[in-house]
Amino acid sequence: MPSASFTASRSCVRRSRRKGANRIPTPSRTTSAEPCEPSCPIPNQNIPAPLAPASGSSSAMAPSTSSSTVPAHHSPYDLRRKSPSHHEGGPSTSAATAGSPTSPATPTAPAQVCYASTMLPARKRPRRTFSTSYENCTATAAHYLQYELPDEVLLTIFNYLLELDLCRVSQVCKRFQAIANDTEIWKRLYQSVYEYDLPLFNSAPCRFEFVSPEESDLANPWKESFRQLYRGIHVRPGYQDLTFKGRNLCYFNSVQGALDYADERSAATSGTNYSGTCTNTHSSEPTNQGALIFLHAGTYRGEVLVIDSDISLIGAAPGNVAESVILERESESTLMFVQGAKQAYAGHLTLKFSPDVTSTVPHHKYYCLEVFENCSPTIDHCIIRSTSVVGAAVCVSGVGANPVIRHCGISDCENVGLYVTDYAQGTYEDNEISRNALAGIWVKNYANPIMRRNHIHHGRDVGIFTFDNGLGYFEANDIHNNRIAGFEVKAGANPTVAHCEIHHGQTGGIYVHENGLGQFIDNKIHSNNFAGVWITSNSNPTIRRNEIYNGHQGGVYIFGEGRGLIEHNNIYGNALAGIQIRTNSDPIVRHNKIHHGQHGGIYVHEKGQGLIEENEVYANTLAGVWITTGSTPVLRRNRIHSGKQVGVYFYDNGHGKLEDNDIFNHLYSGVQIRTGSNPVIRGNKIWGGQNGGVLVYNGGLGLLEQNEIFDNAMAGVWIKTDSNPTLKRNKIFDGRDGGICIFNGGKGILEENDIFRNAQAGVLISTQSHPILKRNRIFDGLAAGVEITNNATATLEFNQIFNNRFGGLCLASGVQPIVRGNKIFNNQDAVEKAVANGQCLYKISSYTSFPMHDFYRCQTCNTTDRNAICVNCIKTCHAGHDVEFIRHDRFFCDCGAGTLTNQCQLQGEPTQDTDTLYDSAAPMESHTLMVN
């Protein structure tokens, strides 16, 4: 008969063609692809009794040892064992092998089988003669066995066979092959040997994976898995003294015994005694794979396991395999891989290191798992636990240390979870690293691991800590709920962190300090209790294309001389500033979106610096950018808009440069400067402010140069309360109020500006203010060109004031400016024309345009201090009344507005307007300050 095989290959038995030999007729075949029939039994041959296992026993049935003559007639139902084919090496080893259908792996004592004649050498066998009746009978029995015996009976018989005999019987014919390939038979066989609930496939070196039979493309996945794993050595206490007929497996009581046997077998040596049993002492390893050792359920304590070759250790148990197979030590490392373990494997195991706290032996250099230099094992689906309060659960160290650690649980350790150091590398994927007392992962001293899709959470320290020049590539990890930062970088470390989610840290998300570096790219950093990213103490990381949002404090916090490149990030929804720069820090911040913060967008304070360019800062609750306390950042080409307060806010000696920015649509003014701040504001567009374009107040300074300030709801520039800015070569136009309003002691130098098409005066100077205006062009205004009122004064030199509606230079009573070399021409003088035409001056007024002329009060009509009546209404509507001249100033006529008792006789239907103002409304000032 052909040798046993797990494959579907077929072969024919070579028959004797010696002269005079009779050929045994065989049943006809329908196809030539059918395997050849083995020889039929001959007379006087020993025939084994039918299979009949005793109750409660799975012993193989031994054949009868008595000789008897075959009778002349046989019932076709007498199932007879065919004589084994003759091989030069001896008799077939498939005889007398059986097992219980319900427990096919139950060991049996070897059956005593005797085939006297077939044991003789071929040339000394007695001559055999056959009768025609015997030949016909044998053919009939064989035909019945192969073609007519019910499938259920054959299936029951095959259930008694173990794997090797089952493979042999499948080579008899197609029908036997189909029945012997029954899935349930192989499932029972498989689970009796390997104990797994699902087939395990060894598709490549160091790769073992369970596949559900329903998801497999194989006709019989249990058989294929059996075939792939059959080369394995088993560590299964209690099985070493048992023998299995029809099974070729090795059993050992200890892991070390199996390792020694594997080493010896790989060296092709023999003669060593082992504490185990193996029915096959020849190597069955493929040439491209090392030994495969199965560790069955149990706890293996105290063994020193040092792997220095390509050996695979894998747990074997039902259910959760790793929980059932435990390797544990109290001193020295539990499992060590050293040089030579290039394609070693450990999978589905629990590794424990539980040092005796009362022991005097130091254990700080020992670990659950240790990988040394120049080896690259694979650690897969392991549970790793250490109760040592020092060291780490896993240590990978040394040049050439390059393991693959995946699908492992490194949790609940009293120290660091995973420690990679001293130039080690490795790939670490899909691991669960959680609830460790110290960091989940340490990377140190030029180690450069690749870590992907790990879940690192609920640590009692930092999630990942790279320090002392540690490197590494960290991708798609989920890092959250760690007590300190999710990711910490220190002391020259330079990791690359991409596509990770770093969130819900009890302090910050990312912490880079003490000259730390690193690239943080395309991450989601959110919902951390403190800042999403902290950068300090001369650190210089790159933060690029991240989403940094919903932090309970700020988004990015740079302090203590921190630097860094912060670019292309989306920073939003943070409770404090989107980016905070302080204490001599000097980052580059560009191409970011910083928006919808509950505080300001960018906050620069305490001598902070930085280049802030081409960002979009919008829809923040407070200022878009805050600059204060000696800070000197440079802001270029940013779009700062749609804020709920100020666009850019300089206060308390805030300085810096604001160049070529687009600042628009803020609820307050676009730019505010106060309390000693002295910025350079150049080349910006400042527009659409609901409370003015630029507000300089409370001692503010600054140089405003070559800006376009337009379409603001109130004045383009406000200067008040002892402020003294310089405005040069700006265009201030299309304001819905005045162009420049200076009042309450405001000063300033206004030089070479173009001020035009504003709804109120081009320049309004009021209340003890004293600016200097030189070489400005003030034209096309909807009110006066320059108005000076309320005891203010000014110096006007070489200005051109023309084509303004109410006049070029309008002075209130008592005002005496210094005027030299000005050109005032082609103004429309609409007030004088209205007076000359007898019109009420209210008709040429508006909510924002108040003409300057003589105004009166009427004692007869009981007018108040807030009422004013124009000269024409005094003459017509209040003729004969007791009237009083007040002064020459800006006003609109309350008589024409219909706020007095008598109806104005110079107007048509009155327009109700009770808000008589003699000055533009004061702008709103930002006093709110929230500090990170």
Side-chain angles (χ1 to χ4, degrees):
M1 180 171 284
S3 60
S5 171
F6 284 95
T7 65
S9 62
R10 297 167 183 171
S11 59
C12 295
V13 178
R14 185 183 299 272
R15 293 186 174 86
S16 171
R17 297 184 182 272
R18 292 195 300 269
K19 186 176 180 179
N22 295 323
R23 297 186 61 186
I24 302 173
T26 58
S28 61
R29 298 282 186 248
T30 57
T31 173
S32 60
E34 190 71 24
C36 301
E37 264 307 295
S39 306
C40 291
I42 60 174
N44 301 317
Q45 181 68 28
N46 294 310
I47 308 292
L51 192 63
S55 176
S57 170
S58 57
S59 300
M61 193 65 196
S64 170
T65 57
S66 61
S67 299
S68 62
T69 305
V70 179
H73 175 73
H74 294 280
S75 167
Y77 297 97
D78 289 340
L79 303 181
R80 301 179 182 277
R81 185 184 301 274
K82 299 180 182 180
S83 63
S85 57
H86 305 301
H87 298 283
E88 293 183 3
S92 169
T93 60
S94 65
T97 356
S100 168
T102 59
S103 181
T106 305
T108 65
Q112 300 298 319
V113 184
C114 179
Y115 293 107
S117 61
T118 57
M119 290 298 188
L120 296 175
R123 294 184 180 181
K124 295 184 179 181
R125 291 175 190 154
R127 183 177 299 274
R128 299 171 184 175
T129 59
F130 300 92
S131 66
T132 304
S133 61
Y134 178 80
E135 184 175 287
N136 293 336
C137 175
T138 304
T140 303
H143 184 275
Y144 178 79
L145 179 65
Q146 293 182 254
Y147 297 101
E148 298 181 24
L149 190 66
D151 290 349
E152 295 80 4
V153 177
L154 284 175
L155 186 62
T156 302
I157 294 170
F158 291 174
N159 265 295
Y160 285 85
L161 303 180
L162 297 185
E163 56 275 3
L164 294 182
D165 290 332
L166 199 59
C167 288
R168 291 187 178 100
V169 81
S170 70
Q171 294 178 342
V172 171
C173 61
K174 284 186 175 181
R175 183 182 177 216
F176 280 22
Q177 183 189 48
I179 297 173
N181 202 42
D182 179 73
T183 302
E184 288 302 316
I185 292 179
W186 283 100
K187 179 180 178 180
R188 284 194 295 270
L189 280 172
Y190 182 88
Q191 292 183 336
S192 70
V193 173
Y194 303 105
E195 303 187 83
Y196 299 130
D197 294 334
L198 296 173
L200 178 69
F201 292 95
N202 184 197
S203 56
C206 299
R207 181 168 292 277
F208 295 83
E209 54 186 340
F210 290 102
V211 178
S212 172
E214 293 76 15
E215 298 175 0
S216 174
D217 296 331
L218 298 168
N220 192 338
W222 299 99
K223 180 178 179 181
E224 174 58 23
S225 177
F226 209 128
R227 183 190 68 81
Q228 291 184 14
L229 305 181
Y230 202 69
R231 63 191 178 90
I233 303 165
H234 294 257
V235 179
R236 195 168 187 178
Y239 274 62
Q240 65 170 5
D241 297 325
L242 304 178
T243 59
F244 295 85
K245 302 286 293 206
R247 175 161 291 164
N248 227 5
L249 296 176
C250 301
Y251 288 95
F252 291 86
N253 277 343
S254 67
V255 182
Q256 190 59 56
L259 290 173
D260 292 342
Y261 171 75
D263 289 343
E264 195 72 16
R265 188 169 68 176
S266 65
T269 60
S270 59
T272 306
N273 294 322
Y274 303 102
S275 59
T277 296
C278 181
T279 58
N280 179 17
T281 58
H282 299 286
S283 174
S284 60
E285 313 299 344
T287 57
N288 61 339
Q289 296 189 45
L292 173 59
I293 299 176
F294 292 97
L295 278 63
H296 289 263
T299 300
Y300 302 86
R301 289 190 177 92
E303 296 192 60
V304 179
L305 302 179
V306 180
I307 309 300
D308 59 358
S309 61
D310 295 341
I311 287 178
S312 297
L313 295 175
I314 185 166
N320 189 321
V321 180
E323 290 182 354
S324 301
V325 184
I326 301 170
L327 298 177
E328 184 173 11
R329 279 188 63 80
E330 295 182 354
S331 62
E332 301 187 15
S333 297
T334 306
L335 180 61
M336 292 173 278
F337 291 91
V338 299
Q339 185 168 344
K342 290 294 185 183
Q343 288 189 328
Y345 176 89
H348 300 278
L349 304 169
T350 291
L351 306 179
K352 286 187 176 181
F353 180 54
S354 308
D356 184 359
V357 294
T358 63
S359 173
T360 60
V361 179
H363 58 266
H364 65 282
K365 291 185 178 180
Y366 300 124
Y367 313 89
C368 286
L369 172 65
E370 192 166 6
V371 181
F372 289 92
E373 60 185 15
N374 296 319
C375 65
S376 51
T378 296
I379 317 300
D380 188 18
H381 286 95
C382 287
I383 299 171
I384 302 174
R385 300 282 186 270
S386 173
T387 59
S388 171
V389 295
V390 293
V394 179
C395 178
V396 182
S397 64
V399 176
N402 190 21
V404 175
I405 299 180
R406 61 192 178 210
H407 304 293
C408 291
I410 308 173
S411 303
D412 299 302
C413 301
E414 296 301 322
N415 47 33
V416 176
L418 170 61
Y419 179 29
V420 189
T421 186
D422 296 342
Y423 297 89
Q425 298 178 336
T427 300
Y428 308 81
E429 296 178 332
D430 302 296
N431 299 289
E432 182 87 7
I433 303 174
S434 61
R435 299 182 301 275
N436 295 293
L438 297 181
I441 298 173
W442 276 6
V443 180
K444 176 184 177 184
N445 195 21
Y446 300 101
N448 192 14
I450 296 172
M451 298 195 175
R452 294 190 182 101
R453 299 183 303 278
N454 300 287
H455 190 194
I456 304 162
H457 61 99
H458 288 95
R460 285 171 274 171
D461 199 272
V462 68
I464 299 175
F465 184 22
T466 57
F467 61 106
D468 290 353
N469 301 299
L471 305 170
Y473 179 72
F474 302 82
E475 181 181 27
N477 300 285
D478 188 5
I479 306 169
H480 64 92
N481 288 102
N482 296 285
R483 192 178 68 83
I484 306 182
F487 204 113
E488 182 175 352
V489 183
K490 175 183 176 182
N494 189 14
T496 297
V497 182
H499 303 288
C500 294
E501 188 168 1
I502 304 171
H503 58 105
H504 290 94
Q506 296 179 36
T507 54
I510 296 170
Y511 181 29
V512 189
H513 61 116
E514 296 183 33
N515 298 292
L517 301 169
Q519 293 79 43
F520 297 86
I521 304 169
D522 295 311
N523 302 286
K524 289 185 177 181
I525 305 164
H526 65 93
S527 308
N528 296 286
N529 280 352
F530 294 165
V533 179
W534 298 42
I535 304 170
T536 184
S537 52
N538 295 299
S539 297
N540 191 18
T542 296
I543 312 294
R544 180 181 293 129
R545 293 196 307 273
N546 302 281
E547 286 196 32
I548 305 170
Y549 60 98
N550 292 351
H552 298 172
Q553 289 195 8
V556 179
Y557 181 27
I558 309 166
F559 65 103
E561 300 183 348
R563 299 191 299 279
L565 172 61
I566 318 297
E567 65 178 2
H568 296 288
N569 301 284
N570 190 10
I571 304 172
Y572 60 94
N574 297 286
L576 298 181
I579 297 178
Q580 182 180 170
I581 305 168
R582 59 174 289 206
T583 51
N584 296 302
S585 297
D586 189 16
I588 297 172
V589 179
R590 63 191 181 198
H591 304 296
N592 302 284
K593 289 184 178 181
I594 305 165
H595 59 101
H596 291 94
Q598 300 172 42
H599 188 269
I602 300 174
Y603 180 28
V604 190
H605 62 118
E606 297 181 38
K607 298 184 179 179
Q609 301 173 46
L611 173 61
I612 302 170
E613 61 181 5
E614 300 186 51
N615 302 282
E616 185 157 9
V617 184
Y618 63 97
N620 294 286
T621 301
L622 301 182
V625 180
W626 301 41
I627 302 170
T628 181
T629 51
S631 299
T632 57
V634 175
L635 283 80
R636 291 195 181 109
R637 298 184 297 281
N638 301 283
R639 279 168 45 96
I640 305 169
H641 63 95
S642 306
K644 298 177 182 178
Q645 283 196 10
V646 181
V648 181
Y649 184 22
F650 296 89
Y651 69 100
D652 291 350
N653 297 298
H655 309 304
K657 292 182 180 179
L658 194 63
E659 298 180 335
D660 301 313
N661 300 282
D662 195 2
I663 305 170
F664 61 96
N665 286 351
H666 292 91
L667 188 62
Y668 289 11
S669 51
V671 177
Q672 286 193 15
I673 306 169
R674 58 171 279 197
T675 51
S677 298
N678 189 17
V680 174
I681 300 176
R682 181 183 293 121
N684 303 281
K685 290 183 178 180
I686 304 171
W687 57 281
Q690 299 304 305
N691 200 215
V694 178
L695 169 59
V696 189
Y697 65 108
N698 289 359
L701 303 168
L703 171 62
L704 282 74
E705 186 174 33
Q706 296 179 320
N707 301 285
E708 291 188 18
I709 304 171
F710 61 95
D711 194 30
N712 295 286
M714 300 183 70
V717 178
W718 295 81
I719 303 171
K720 57 180 283 190
T721 51
D722 301 312
S723 298
N724 191 17
T726 299
L727 283 72
K728 290 184 178 179
R729 296 186 292 280
N730 300 284
K731 291 183 178 181
I732 304 169
F733 61 99
D734 290 341
R736 285 168 272 171
D737 198 280
I740 300 174
C741 294
I742 307 168
F743 59 104
N744 289 350
K747 304 180 182 64
I749 298 174
L750 283 63
E751 189 173 0
E752 298 180 7
N753 301 285
D754 272 1
I755 305 169
F756 58 96
R757 290 201 307 263
N758 295 287
Q760 281 275 21
V763 178
L764 173 62
I765 305 168
S766 179
T767 52
Q768 288 83 41
S769 298
H770 190 168
I772 298 172
L773 283 73
K774 294 182 179 180
R775 295 185 294 280
N776 299 284
R777 298 199 314 164
I778 306 167
F779 60 97
D780 292 347
L782 303 181
V786 177
E787 291 186 358
I788 307 176
T789 183
N790 287 353
N791 298 314
T793 186
T795 298
L796 286 78
E797 297 179 338
F798 308 106
N799 299 284
Q800 296 183 46
I801 307 172
F802 59 94
N803 200 32
N804 297 286
R805 185 183 180 200
F806 291 168
L809 178 61
C810 300
L811 304 177
S813 298
V815 172
Q816 295 182 342
I818 299 170
V819 179
R820 183 184 303 117
N822 299 286
K823 293 182 179 180
I824 303 173
F825 60 95
N826 292 340
N827 294 286
Q828 300 174 23
D829 298 326
V831 177
E832 284 75 11
K833 291 178 181 179
V835 171
N837 292 332
Q839 290 180 308
C840 174
L841 296 187
Y842 181 78
K843 194 168 185 178
I844 64 170
S845 302
S846 68
Y847 178 72
T848 58
S849 297
F850 309 132
M852 182 174 284
H853 201 64
D854 296 343
F855 73 88
Y856 299 80
R857 290 196 183 99
C858 180
Q859 302 295 337
T860 303
C861 296
N862 294 320
T863 56
T864 67
D865 291 343
R866 289 186 61 82
N867 296 131
I869 304 171
C870 71
V871 63
N872 285 340
C873 285
I874 286 293
K875 292 178 181 180
T876 303
C877 304
H878 299 269
H881 290 192
D882 185 8
V883 297
E884 176 186 8
F885 173 75
I886 303 301
R887 66 179 184 273
H888 187 84
D889 214 331
R890 303 176 68 239
F891 71 98
F892 71 80
C893 181
D894 280 288
C895 181
T899 60
L900 304 180
T901 303
N902 296 332
Q903 182 176 348
C904 179
Q905 300 174 23
L906 301 179
Q907 286 282 94
E909 290 297 323
T911 302
Q912 295 296 324
D913 190 343
T914 60
D915 188 15
T916 302
L917 298 176
Y918 300 99
D919 203 349
S920 293
M924 290 181 284
E925 301 168 3
S926 181
H927 296 294
T928 306
L929 179 60
M930 296 175 64
V931 180
N932 272 355

